[in-house]
Amino acid sequence: MIETWGCQMNAHDSEVLAGLLEQMGYLATENENDADVVLLNTCCIREKAENKVFGRLGNLKKLKANNPELILGVCGCMVQRPEMADKIKKRMPHMDLIFGTHNIHQLPDLITEAKQNSTARVKVWDREGKIVEDLPMRRAAGIKAFVNIMYGCNNFCTYCIVPHVRGRERSRHVADIITEIEHLVQQGYVEVMLLGQNVNSYGKDLDNNIDFAGLLKKVNDILGLQRIRFMTSHPRDFTDKLIDSLANCGKVCEHYHLPIQAGSTAILKRMNRGYTKGEYLDLVKQIRQKVPNASITTDIIVGFPGETDADFEDTMDILQRVQFDGAYTFIYSPRPGTPAADMAEQVPPDQKKERFQRLLKLQNSITEEKHLQLLRSTQEVLFEGTSKNDEHIMSGRTRSNKLVHVPADKSVIGKFYLVNITKAQMFSVSGELLEEI
Ligand code: 5AD
Ligand code: SF4
């Protein structure tokens, strides 16, 4: 059993962990009482995520007491934080394996050793090794697959722990990426999500003169593949050349996740983001000029150290001006070891919460308005599965990544249909099937 916290990158790492376990002869289970191995793949982007993991680690103790043969492991970003592995080892002596993001490929050896000897195994490289290709993966069944194109991040935004736990940027070779996607298409996947902390800097560390725009063109040429998505993009590296190639690659969906983080230029500077409010607005304008129906989503942090009322109003202002299709909003959480955690002028918790609520309210109304704008339009929808609440309702996504619910039977799954949008909700729209494409 594997439990995953955090982002798509972690979700995809869990697919590799599952592949490795399967290769060793294990079968997946969702019931902890049936499990021979329980792995927690953790996140440390905000403090809350870490607290939850500690809670969960604590209650696994009982499981181990009932089944001493059980192998318990904790891995992922949180383990990679300085001194964390020791802390876990001391506070949670029932854990058998503690391994970092750079050590995933060593899982089979770690399990074999743990079976022979019951003392805890700790394997945390503090530096990234070479990319290990050809690891087995147990991907979520379905029609869309995650494909890593690069690992790590070089940006060192001052609030962010990611470069400290995921290492420097390393791009996979084009041939490895293309071969992987070709295999996925052979297996029936029709959509890929290209993953990286900052996909726009793909290729900068390779010597064969390829960049993200070049990679997209090659992926776009893969026969049988229907949709391409990617995340995450850094506004600073979103070049004109890239915008042109987005407009020219027919399979690349018109949805761009472009985290702005804050609206105030002064705060952006202290965050080390490398662009101003005006530059971000220009970028959005350019994208919308070349891709008129582009859907743009973002990430925003509220309460970064030194954020004044006026700074926060800049964030509210940019939300109004851009009219994002959606935004993930976060309260700033100091991460030990990052520069922002030591900055004076930390914003008091009550003020952070109040600003967060205002921001959420504004964005929710914009998101809903965006859904209302889809009413009576015809959308191309790729159906992905049954809706969570009703097995007679199928869900799919538009190219712009809007969630669509339609009464239909399961035969639509994996197919493209034109859908007439008849109803708008806060987080999705509903409609009726027109015809298969
Ligand atoms: N506090 C709050 N939010 C954060 N993020 C990254 N670090 C922090 C932090 N210390 C947010 C950013 C990023 C998203 C994945 O998480 O908005 O884009
Ligand atoms: Fe963190 Fe910034 Fe890198 Fe994104 S670009 S992972 S926010 S350091």
Side-chain angles (χ1 to χ4, degrees):
M1 184 173 94
I2 303 175
E3 288 182 16
T4 310
W5 277 266
C7 64
Q8 263 102 347
M9 199 66 87
N10 255 22
H12 187 47
D13 281 352
S14 286
E15 294 182 335
V16 175
L17 293 167
L20 289 164
L21 289 172
E22 202 162 79
Q23 207 173 50
M24 296 181 77
Y26 288 102
L27 294 174
T29 175
E30 284 178 19
N31 180 350
E32 60 183 34
N33 297 309
D34 286 344
D36 300 306
V37 177
V38 176
L39 296 180
L40 307 190
N41 189 6
T42 63
C43 170
C44 61
I45 194 103
R46 284 168 290 274
E47 195 184 353
K48 216 156 110 191
E50 284 193 358
N51 293 342
K52 278 194 208 156
V53 170
F54 266 106
R56 181 70 180 124
L57 288 175
N59 69 35
L60 284 176
K61 194 171 176 181
K62 225 168 53 200
L63 203 63
K64 177 92 176 173
N66 292 341
N67 175 9
E69 298 291 302
L70 178 68
I71 295 176
L72 293 179
V74 52
C75 60
C77 292
M78 180 175 153
V79 174
Q80 207 66 49
R81 290 223 293 117
E83 289 153 42
M84 186 54 86
D86 282 344
K87 189 167 154 188
I88 295 175
K89 198 173 162 188
K90 273 198 205 106
R91 280 179 53 185
M92 304 286 162
H94 52 288
M95 298 310 292
D96 300 292
L97 313 175
I98 302 170
F99 59 103
T101 56
H102 307 311
N103 307 82
I104 287 179
H105 60 286
Q106 295 168 316
L107 177 65
D109 291 342
L110 291 170
I111 289 191
T112 309
E113 285 171 31
K115 278 185 169 168
Q116 286 159 2
N117 174 337
S118 64
T119 53
R121 307 254 124 24
V122 180
K123 215 29 153 214
V124 185
W125 288 349
D126 59 355
R127 300 222 52 186
E128 60 277 10
K130 273 208 178 120
I131 295 177
V132 186
E133 287 292 347
D134 298 325
L135 289 176
M137 287 173 202
R138 181 78 179 95
R139 286 194 150 94
I143 47 148
K144 65 177 174 193
F146 296 136
V147 176
N148 259 122
I149 62 166
M150 58 189 301
Y151 301 88
C153 181
N154 288 356
N155 287 309
F156 289 96
C157 301
T158 53
Y159 51 80
C160 188
I161 194 79
V162 168
H164 306 267
V165 295
R166 289 262 173 195
R168 296 297 75 73
E169 284 173 3
R170 287 146 286 147
S171 303
R172 288 179 67 201
H173 289 291
V174 184
D176 291 326
I177 298 170
I178 300 292
T179 309
E180 182 176 342
I181 299 177
E182 283 170 348
H183 281 147
L184 288 168
V185 171
Q186 280 162 17
Q187 290 164 41
Y189 291 92
V190 290
E191 178 174 319
V192 287
M193 166 74 93
L194 307 178
L195 290 179
Q197 307 296 346
N198 175 11
V199 289
N200 309 137
S201 58
Y202 173 79
K204 281 185 185 162
D205 56 324
L206 297 176
D207 43 19
N208 55 0
N209 220 352
I210 183 141
D211 58 8
F212 184 55
L215 176 70
L216 276 180
K217 280 207 188 87
K218 286 190 189 289
V219 178
N220 195 65
D221 286 341
I222 295 177
L223 259 136
L225 183 67
Q226 308 267 15
R227 281 182 171 185
I228 303 167
R229 301 184 187 276
F230 57 89
M231 74 188 317
T232 291
S233 296
H234 196 302
R236 190 199 48 215
D237 301 320
F238 215 93
T239 57
D240 289 353
K241 183 181 169 204
L242 177 60
I243 300 174
D244 283 335
S245 87
L246 295 177
N248 295 329
C249 290
K251 294 176 188 172
V252 177
C253 293
E254 296 79 16
H255 167 227
Y256 315 124
H257 185 62
L258 206 56
I260 179 160
Q261 311 298 2
S264 144
T265 294
I267 294 293
L268 288 169
K269 188 149 194 257
R270 288 159 61 94
M271 287 178 161
N272 191 28
R273 289 292 291 176
Y275 52 86
T276 63
K277 180 183 181 187
E279 283 164 351
Y280 189 93
L281 285 167
D282 281 348
L283 174 61
V284 169
K285 205 162 129 195
Q286 288 212 353
I287 293 175
R288 288 188 169 148
Q289 248 163 28
K290 297 237 164 93
V291 187
N293 47 354
S295 151
I296 301 178
T297 55
T298 202
D299 291 347
I300 296 175
I301 297 176
V302 184
F304 184 82
E307 184 187 76
T308 62
D309 285 338
D311 290 323
F312 176 66
E313 292 310 323
D314 267 329
T315 298
M316 296 289 275
D317 180 55
I318 205 144
L319 244 63
Q320 289 280 19
R321 290 219 222 166
V322 174
Q323 298 279 304
F324 290 107
D325 291 78
Y328 296 99
T329 48
F330 307 103
I331 290 181
Y332 170 69
S333 166
R335 304 284 58 218
T338 61
D342 296 327
M343 286 181 189
E345 313 167 281
Q346 296 286 330
V347 178
D350 284 352
Q351 199 163 29
K352 284 199 231 181
K353 272 187 212 142
E354 195 192 310
R355 288 179 185 166
F356 179 79
Q357 291 305 336
R358 276 186 62 203
L359 187 84
L360 198 64
K361 201 164 156 218
L362 173 59
Q363 182 54 44
N364 280 347
S365 69
I366 296 172
T367 308
E368 198 174 4
E369 173 58 32
K370 287 271 174 181
H371 284 152
L372 286 168
Q373 286 168 10
L374 291 180
L375 280 179
R376 287 176 291 283
S377 72
T378 301
Q379 299 288 326
E380 175 197 304
V381 176
L382 169 57
F383 284 95
E384 297 179 359
T386 310
S387 102
K388 270 191 209 139
N389 309 324
D390 185 343
E391 60 171 316
H392 302 293
I393 305 278
M394 299 299 132
S395 8
R397 295 211 173 246
T398 63
R399 286 177 62 101
S400 58
N401 209 35
K402 306 278 192 237
L403 183 60
V404 182
H405 296 300
V406 171
D409 60 47
K410 289 187 178 143
S411 66
V412 302
I413 295 172
K415 295 182 185 150
F416 291 84
Y417 278 85
L418 290 178
V419 171
N420 177 28
I421 306 298
T422 53
K423 206 170 146 214
Q425 291 92 237
M426 173 77 86
F427 298 109
S428 64
V429 293
S430 307
E432 53 200 22
L433 285 187
L434 293 176
E435 57 183 306
E436 191 179 345
I437 326 178

